[in-house]
Amino acid sequence: MSEERMVADVASKERSRGGMSEQRRHRVRLEISREAARLFWEQGVDATSGDQIAEAVGLSTRTIWRHFRSKESCAEPIVTQSVEWEMSTLRSWPPHLSLEEHLAAEATRFGREASAMEQADTALGVKMIRLADTEPAIRTAWLMACDQVEREMTEIIAIRLGLKADDLEVRLHAAAASAALRVVNEYIGATLLDGVDPREFADAPALIANAVRRATAGTVGDPVSADAGRQE
């Protein structure tokens, strides 16, 4: 049985039970996104068709359009995933650690524990961020991911400062910090793709942390007291 037939059979069974599960939908969208991103990088967005994406992933073109509104939007899951590790790391940032200490520890753990697929997805995300410089539709996907980063940064900073998420100071710091993260991610990714030795960014945690500190006038980046997150 072909892979497409298997997917169709599973989808049919899931529809009979009330629709494809969100978990499976996410897996299918991510697999499509991987192949689309690879083709976009290798041959350009304009030269890539929906039919080519479908052939690469082993699905019908109609299935591609059931999951995505356009060929360019196929890049969105990989682009979104490119910031997920960073956001997961920030969500787990302990109050007693500086940002660079926490980033360094988590980066080491990722390098040790990440699967080959996770590392490949990270590399694809970097390529899509670089492609966003010249492709407006990919830029839209990247800015959508950055908007989500800002929303999450608002919650993270509010907890860290012991303030409410709708506090103006928190929102301003979140906007500044997320912009700093965007610029640093774009800079590091572009530099690596230009062939710079990755060892040049051994101090990336410090680079990121210092960018966040400068953007927030030193408010975000240092350790805080253990009870800083407790709101009255």
Side-chain angles (χ1 to χ4, degrees):
M1 181 184 294
S2 69
E3 181 178 354
E4 184 175 344
R5 178 65 181 173
M6 290 172 64
V7 171
D9 287 348
V10 171
S12 177
K13 292 176 182 177
E14 288 175 333
R15 282 196 298 273
S16 70
R17 295 196 299 268
M20 182 181 288
S21 71
E22 280 305 309
Q23 185 177 26
R24 176 161 184 78
R25 187 183 303 277
H26 173 75
R27 289 199 303 269
V28 172
R29 281 173 53 83
L30 186 56
E31 184 57 35
I32 294 170
S33 190
R34 287 185 182 116
E35 294 301 327
R38 181 181 61 78
L39 289 169
F40 290 160
W41 181 255
E42 290 177 355
Q43 59 190 35
V45 175
D46 288 345
T48 300
S49 67
D51 290 340
Q52 288 177 314
I53 295 170
E55 182 179 0
V57 79
L59 298 173
S60 68
T61 305
R62 187 168 68 174
T63 298
I64 302 299
W65 302 141
R66 280 206 301 266
H67 287 281
F68 293 96
R69 64 189 180 279
S70 65
K71 68 176 183 181
E72 294 86 356
S73 68
C74 291
E76 290 174 6
I78 279 293
V79 172
T80 299
Q81 186 153 300
S82 72
V83 301
E84 184 51 43
W85 175 84
E86 192 169 58
M87 295 315 303
S88 176
T89 296
L90 288 168
R91 291 184 209 113
S92 65
W93 181 13
H96 66 280
L97 291 181
S98 69
L99 182 54
E100 54 264 59
E101 288 174 322
H102 183 54
L103 286 174
E106 290 301 303
T108 298
R109 187 170 67 84
F110 179 83
R112 184 176 62 248
E113 299 178 1
S115 67
M117 182 66 75
E118 288 172 322
Q119 294 183 23
D121 284 350
T122 297
L124 270 177
V126 169
K127 290 176 178 178
M128 290 303 97
I129 293 169
R130 177 63 179 273
L131 199 59
D133 285 343
T134 56
E135 295 287 349
I138 307 300
R139 185 71 176 175
T140 297
W142 172 226
L143 293 179
M144 286 171 58
C146 291
D147 181 68
Q148 183 59 38
V149 169
E150 181 178 335
R151 292 173 185 273
E152 294 209 36
M153 282 297 294
T154 301
E155 298 293 334
I156 291 164
I157 291 174
I159 292 171
R160 199 156 183 89
L161 299 184
L163 298 172
K164 295 184 182 298
D166 60 358
D167 185 278
L168 179 60
E169 180 183 3
V170 170
R171 292 183 62 188
L172 289 171
H173 286 322
S178 61
L181 290 173
R182 175 182 60 78
V183 171
V184 171
N185 281 332
E186 290 174 352
Y187 170 74
I188 292 177
T191 304
L192 291 174
L193 289 172
D194 284 341
V196 170
D197 190 327
R199 289 174 293 185
E200 293 290 322
F201 288 106
D203 64 343
L207 175 64
I208 295 168
N210 287 331
V212 169
R213 282 194 188 90
R214 288 196 298 272
T216 61
T219 302
V220 181
D222 293 334
V224 297
S225 62
D227 59 351
R230 297 176 188 168
Q231 298 181 11
E232 298 297 331

